[in-house]
Amino acid sequence: MIETTVDALLQKKLILYPTDTVWGIGGDATDSKVVQKVYHLKQREDHKALIVLVATKEMLESYVESIPKQADSFLESDRATTVIYPKGVGLAQNLMGEDSSIGIRIPKHPFCQELIKQFGKPIISTSANVSGKPTPLSFESIDTEILDGVDYIVPLKEKNSNQPSRVVKIDSKGEIHILRP
């Protein structure tokens, strides 16, 4: 299953996969065409940044200009937390905020961890819904439009936390802003 999913990512396909929070739409976070496909499927304005998942803090270091010391407690937290860093690097430009900021999470979900490690690059992670519609809390509640719009659906129907991650932003001055508690 991991190999098939990695193959889909290598072929620049969109995947639907379970994360540590909710089911997500994913793809290669370094490819701007893949990012554009996600925006199109979600019917989301492309100036709204998407988040990505990385497997480890070492991988994270390759995709942000720096990791502020203030991020450590969030990275070590048991709670799923997306940290928005002031400047992303090595990622698709249309994935990041207008100010080059980027939201990144290190999931504790075993499938996600193994997938990212084998793929070797960050993966886009955005909830499996059309923008403006409720986040689906189970696989069964994912809209047909999303199911039909992805190229590959990971055949895991396991439970996740059913709760979006906490989102915190660390600005260029090192100040912490809680965007989603």
Side-chain angles (χ1 to χ4, degrees):
M1 178 174 15
I2 293 273
E3 295 80 16
T4 307
T5 310
V6 169
D7 284 345
L9 292 169
L10 289 170
Q11 293 173 40
K12 309 302 182 190
K13 293 181 175 181
L14 294 187
I15 63 169
L16 182 65
Y17 67 112
T19 73
D20 52 336
T21 56
V22 297
W23 274 80
I25 299 168
D28 183 345
T30 65
D31 188 294
S32 61
K33 289 180 181 167
V34 172
V35 173
Q36 193 56 47
K37 285 172 36 176
V38 173
Y39 283 124
H40 180 75
L41 177 59
K42 284 188 65 83
Q43 301 171 30
R44 183 174 174 162
E45 297 171 31
D46 61 8
H47 68 274
K48 293 184 175 185
L50 298 170
I51 71 162
V52 298
L53 302 181
V54 296
T56 63
K57 187 174 180 182
E58 292 73 32
M59 183 182 261
L60 171 64
E61 290 170 346
S62 299
Y63 294 98
V64 294
E65 193 170 74
S66 66
I67 301 174
K69 188 76 176 143
Q70 299 87 326
D72 287 345
S73 64
F74 298 112
L75 295 175
E76 295 162 9
S77 172
D78 286 338
R79 181 163 176 212
T81 303
T82 299
V83 177
I84 300 174
Y85 297 89
K87 184 160 178 53
V89 295
L91 297 164
Q93 199 62 39
N94 58 340
L95 179 69
M96 298 186 276
E98 292 176 331
D99 60 356
S100 294
S101 63
I102 186 67
I104 301 179
R105 185 169 82 249
I106 301 173
K108 293 174 178 45
H109 190 277
F111 176 81
C112 286
Q113 277 287 316
E114 190 59 30
L115 177 62
I116 298 164
K117 285 177 185 173
Q118 286 196 30
F119 183 53
K121 296 191 274 186
I123 297 173
I124 299 163
S125 181
T126 183
S127 57
N129 62 304
V130 171
S131 284
K133 292 190 176 180
T135 300
L137 299 181
S138 67
F139 180 82
E140 295 73 28
S141 61
I142 297 172
D143 193 295
T144 306
E145 191 169 359
I146 298 296
L147 294 170
D148 292 343
V150 296
D151 302 301
Y152 177 72
I153 299 172
V154 173
L156 276 177
K157 303 298 187 273
E158 60 191 44
K159 296 271 185 203
N160 47 26
S161 76
N162 295 334
Q163 184 174 13
S165 67
R166 168 176 51 186
V167 179
V168 299
K169 181 173 185 169
I170 301 175
D171 66 23
S172 58
K173 296 175 185 159
E175 294 179 28
I176 297 170
H177 307 271
I178 307 294
L179 304 181
R180 184 168 59 204

